[in-house]
Amino acid sequence: MDVVNPIVARWRREGLEDPVAFWARAAEKAFWFRTWDEPFVWEPPTFRWFVGGQTNLSYAALDRHVHTGRGGQAALIAETEWGERRTYTYAQLWRFVRRIAAALRGLGIQRGDRIGIYMPTCPEAIALMLAATRIGAIHIVVFAGFGAGALADRLGMAGARAVFTADVTWRRGREVPLKEIVDQALAGGVPSVERVVVLRRGTTEPPMTPGRDIWWDDFLALANGQSDSHEVMESNEPAFILATSGTTAKPKLAIHTHGPYQVGITSTGQWCHGLRAGDVWWATSDIGWIVGHSYIVYAPLLLGATTIAFEGALDHPSPETVYRIIEENGVTGIFTSPTAVRLLMKYGSEPARKHDLSSVERVVCAGEVLNPPAWEWLQKDVFQNRIPVIDHWWQTETAGPVVGNPYGIAMLPIKPGSASLPLPGMDVAVVRPEDGTPCRPGERGVVVIRRPFPGLTPGLWGEPERYARDYWQRIPGVYFTGDAAFVDEDGYIWFAGRADEIIKIADHRIGTIEVESAFLRHPAVAEAGVTGRPDPVRGEVISAFITLKQGYEPSPQLERELIETVRRELGPVAVIGEINFVRALPKTRSGKIMRRVLKAVILDRDPGDISTIEEEGSVEEARAAWLQLKEMLRVGVYLEQPQPSGVDGEGSLP
């Protein structure tokens, strides 16, 4: 059947037939001091958009709104888990950013210099990002949950001249000593860093290094006598760099630029998220991630919305925190992660029913696949089928959505578990990794992007060869995303996790996301994380780590029910090797399950860098559960009867 609305079909057709003209029309809606000479120059593997055009990301986000009468509208509402709330109008945020811009110049920061921001999601950090782009400096925000080693790597690779931090932040009521972590990172040797600026928030003063460290208020005083004017930037000059994929290897510093990034995130933000002027928009992420850059800071302000920034844990001090913020601020649009949905799902829908959520018009999710059970809970239980809950897919490198339901153009049928269709202007395919040929409907392959679009990173900071090798040479001539998926008969794309997370069972390939989604079909399961474990007969079997909802306890009967649930959903190919019940899964603080850590636990290996982990005890708990299970299996007391999970419908735990 044809599920594509005629308007969407026309936009998608125009984007594929003449992508340069398509994106040039989109760029006409962005802000330019001077329009471009050439809309697109492709010099494989890199490329440039709107060449010769002049703009400034910060000016477009603030100055032009103030100059056109939006100065009195709320631009930023900052909330915290401990109840603090600060509101800035566009005019107030503009003045704050200008003062910081002048202070940066007073600190000696110039156009093209890099500054590191290791701060929580607070107004000072957001204003600092905007001030850096205002003067043509390049910011690298490092998530304020990384450890000293990861921070040092990123600052060193970027060549940051200054680091901005806070003395402390708080998460779930616990104090996190950010300045102490900065000191540890710099003690390891980051020679480019000359100054450290510290925002005072706590009551205990951290050690300050004379000649290097200054307090935030003293930094602001450097604005006196300095210019707060904006720089006019060529379209392709870097606005910021952001690290990606740093948990398994040396991080990559993706570059995003003033012009193409602006066009990309505003266009896809409108088409997929329905972002518009006057929206009260809440992206529940952190500024340390690309979601925070694109959809807490830049796109909402570029489009004249009110953006909400939240510092803390979404379920602290109570499961009602999210719903309270929605009600009190009249939130109209929400961007959140599937992990956040599953976190709230653990508490049931009762906390939501205590609050008026009628202002919400749509919810969009990304970060991992929005499993059908989580979608159904949010769509039906929380929002009573009143609004659409939309899944979509993108990466740090793409800056904004690539595959999604085009809510802002015309709503298409939702298929729970699918990210929907490539958005207009996106040439996306699922191909066989060995030769790059297109997969048949239902055949699993890897996702590639066949042409650049505005917002796609044009390079990695300081590593052009790595950019070519990792993205454009894996399958020659196309951009390799590293994600596995298949396409159905309607063209909808179903993501199955990272290509290297596919589990191969007796020559059958099954995605980790598919198995986790199947586990979530059981009413007892709050979260599931799975990985493949070597098996001498089948190649691999599934090792599952399960957290249960309140009111459920592990038992042999529950285990049998879970195995039967997965078998019913996926068939006998999904061979469950074992189920480990744990209190918490190892996840990054951005909400992604660290499946490589689960794999390391199963294989008794070093899990590597876990500085981004949300709960430090989750790794040891997973390891203890696995060791206990191994002992039970050895003495034959864990299962009361064999599980029907073999490929041929028979078999038991090895």
Side-chain angles (χ1 to χ4, degrees):
M1 66 176 176
D2 183 7
V3 299
V4 180
N5 177 283
I7 299 174
V8 177
R10 175 176 60 81
W11 278 45
R12 293 181 70 217
R13 184 176 62 253
E14 291 174 356
L16 293 174
E17 290 176 351
D18 192 347
V20 174
F22 176 86
W23 284 111
R25 288 193 295 274
E28 291 172 358
K29 299 177 182 179
F31 173 80
W32 302 95
F33 296 118
R34 176 186 183 276
T35 54
W36 53 89
D37 300 317
E38 293 287 338
F40 180 60
V41 175
W42 194 358
E43 299 168 337
T46 193
F47 47 86
R48 292 174 291 156
W49 284 96
F50 320 120
V51 180
Q54 294 178 342
T55 187
N56 181 287
L57 195 56
S58 178
Y59 187 99
L62 293 176
D63 296 60
R64 67 182 176 125
H65 294 311
V66 174
H67 298 331
T68 54
R70 189 168 276 127
Q73 176 191 316
L76 171 65
I77 300 173
E79 296 255 11
T80 70
E81 68 174 30
W82 55 93
E84 182 182 278
R85 187 176 190 272
R86 287 187 281 171
T87 300
Y88 295 78
T89 66
Y90 271 89
Q92 290 169 333
L93 185 58
W94 175 61
R95 287 192 290 270
F96 191 24
V97 167
R98 287 168 55 199
R99 186 180 181 193
I100 296 174
L104 284 171
R105 287 189 169 119
L107 194 66
I109 302 300
Q110 303 174 14
R111 180 174 181 152
D113 285 342
R114 278 79 64 204
I115 66 166
I117 302 175
Y118 184 69
M119 301 176 75
T121 302
C122 62
E124 290 81 1
I126 291 170
L128 187 56
M129 295 166 68
L130 291 159
T133 51
R134 180 178 185 83
I135 69 169
I138 301 165
H139 62 70
I140 174 167
V141 180
V142 181
F143 172 58
F146 275 114
L151 175 60
D153 286 344
R154 287 152 176 77
L155 295 176
M157 291 177 67
R161 287 191 60 199
V163 181
F164 292 78
T165 190
D167 52 359
V168 297
T169 185
W170 294 271
R171 188 162 180 89
R172 299 190 184 279
R174 296 179 307 204
E175 191 171 276
V176 181
L178 297 183
K179 173 55 164 61
E180 179 181 314
I181 296 170
V182 170
D183 288 341
Q184 293 170 2
L186 299 185
V190 186
S192 63
V193 173
E194 302 165 4
R195 306 300 297 271
V196 175
V197 179
V198 185
L199 176 66
R200 192 193 305 268
R201 310 174 92 207
T203 57
T204 303
E205 291 196 6
M208 300 287 282
T209 301
R212 188 195 70 179
D213 301 352
I214 62 171
W215 291 105
W216 176 264
D217 289 344
D218 296 326
F219 160 70
L220 290 182
L222 298 176
N224 297 333
Q226 299 293 327
S227 170
D228 64 7
S229 63
H230 63 273
E231 293 283 327
V232 175
M233 309 299 292
E234 198 277 332
S235 176
N236 295 278
E237 289 188 78
F240 66 86
I241 52 183
L242 188 62
T244 182
S245 300
T247 57
T248 57
K250 178 184 176 185
K252 307 170 190 174
L253 302 188
I255 299 169
H256 288 295
T257 55
H258 280 263
Y261 174 78
Q262 180 185 161
V263 173
I265 63 168
T266 54
S267 298
T268 55
Q270 291 173 309
W271 302 341
C272 183
H273 302 155
L275 255 175
R276 64 186 186 276
D279 248 350
V280 181
W281 174 259
W282 184 19
T284 67
S285 184
D286 185 282
I287 58 166
W289 311 115
I290 189 61
V291 174
H293 284 58
S294 295
Y295 294 108
I296 293 178
V297 182
Y298 288 113
L301 298 177
L302 287 164
L303 292 169
T306 299
T307 185
I308 295 177
F310 178 74
E311 179 183 352
L314 293 175
D315 61 341
H316 188 83
S318 84
E320 294 184 37
T321 297
V322 166
Y323 310 114
R324 174 188 62 78
I325 291 173
I326 292 171
E327 180 180 19
E328 291 178 354
N329 294 289
V331 173
T332 55
I334 300 171
F335 186 132
T336 193
S337 70
T339 304
V341 175
R342 293 191 290 267
L343 170 70
L344 298 175
M345 188 176 167
K346 287 197 301 186
Y347 302 106
S349 55
E350 186 59 29
R353 295 196 180 102
K354 297 179 181 179
H355 296 271
D356 180 4
L357 309 180
S358 61
S359 63
V360 180
E361 300 171 355
R362 73 279 190 199
V363 177
V364 294
C365 288
E368 289 197 324
V369 172
L370 182 61
N371 313 78
W375 177 86
E376 290 168 1
W377 177 77
L378 196 60
Q379 176 76 51
K380 299 175 182 179
D381 291 4
V382 175
F383 288 106
Q384 306 291 306
N385 279 326
R386 185 182 60 80
I387 63 165
V389 174
I390 303 166
D391 195 4
H392 65 301
W393 171 89
W394 49 299
Q395 299 178 320
T396 300
E397 295 91 336
T398 69
V402 176
V403 177
N405 204 311
Y407 170 88
I409 302 172
M411 192 70 193
L412 301 182
I414 293 174
K415 296 187 180 185
S418 170
S420 297
L421 301 166
L423 291 170
M426 306 297 179
D427 191 353
V428 180
V430 178
V431 303
R432 301 179 182 96
E434 59 272 13
D435 58 12
T437 56
C439 291
R440 301 182 304 275
E443 179 186 1
R444 186 174 289 104
V446 296
V447 179
V448 298
I449 299 169
R450 292 186 285 211
R451 283 189 61 91
F453 56 86
L456 181 65
T457 179
L460 299 178
W461 186 263
E463 296 186 298
E465 298 84 4
R466 188 182 185 192
Y467 176 72
R469 181 184 69 249
D470 286 4
Y471 294 112
W472 292 96
Q473 294 174 0
R474 297 283 295 272
I475 300 177
V478 296
Y479 177 93
F480 182 85
T481 70
D483 282 329
F486 69 88
V487 179
D488 68 15
E489 295 288 349
D490 296 320
Y492 279 54
I493 298 179
W494 299 73
F495 286 88
R498 296 295 291 173
D500 57 5
E501 290 178 348
I502 294 296
I503 303 171
K504 299 175 183 178
I505 305 172
D507 293 328
H508 297 273
R509 293 165 58 85
I510 189 167
T512 54
I513 298 296
E514 295 171 286
V515 182
E516 291 164 3
S517 296
F519 273 115
L520 285 167
R521 285 292 184 188
H522 193 284
V525 177
E527 290 188 301
V530 305
T531 187
R533 174 175 63 75
D535 178 78
V537 176
R538 302 177 181 91
E540 281 189 307
V541 292
I542 296 163
S543 187
F545 292 79
I546 303 295
T547 64
L548 299 176
K549 293 179 183 176
Q550 293 178 346
Y552 291 91
E553 295 293 334
S555 69
Q557 174 62 30
L558 177 57
E559 182 175 0
R560 285 193 296 273
E561 291 177 11
L562 294 178
I563 291 168
E564 290 165 2
T565 299
V566 174
R567 181 181 174 82
R568 185 171 58 249
E569 292 289 318
L570 300 177
V573 65
V575 183
I576 308 298
E578 58 275 334
I579 294 176
N580 308 273
F581 292 103
V582 294
R583 183 182 53 82
L585 292 174
K587 292 181 293 187
T588 66
R589 289 175 190 166
S590 65
K592 294 183 179 180
I593 297 170
M594 300 177 79
R595 297 180 185 87
R596 66 174 180 84
V597 172
L598 299 179
K599 174 77 81 172
V601 166
I602 293 296
L603 299 179
D604 195 24
R605 294 177 179 170
D606 182 352
D609 179 14
I610 57 171
S611 60
T612 60
I613 202 161
E614 169 72 18
E615 191 163 342
E616 295 177 3
S618 60
V619 179
E620 290 309 313
E621 185 181 4
R623 182 175 285 114
W626 166 239
L627 292 175
Q628 182 182 26
L629 181 56
K630 281 205 300 184
E631 178 62 19
M632 288 179 172
L633 292 172
R634 187 183 67 80
V635 298
V637 299
Y638 193 68
L639 289 180
E640 294 181 353
Q641 63 185 41
Q643 61 161 315
S645 61
V647 174
D648 58 358
E650 299 178 356
S652 61
L653 281 170

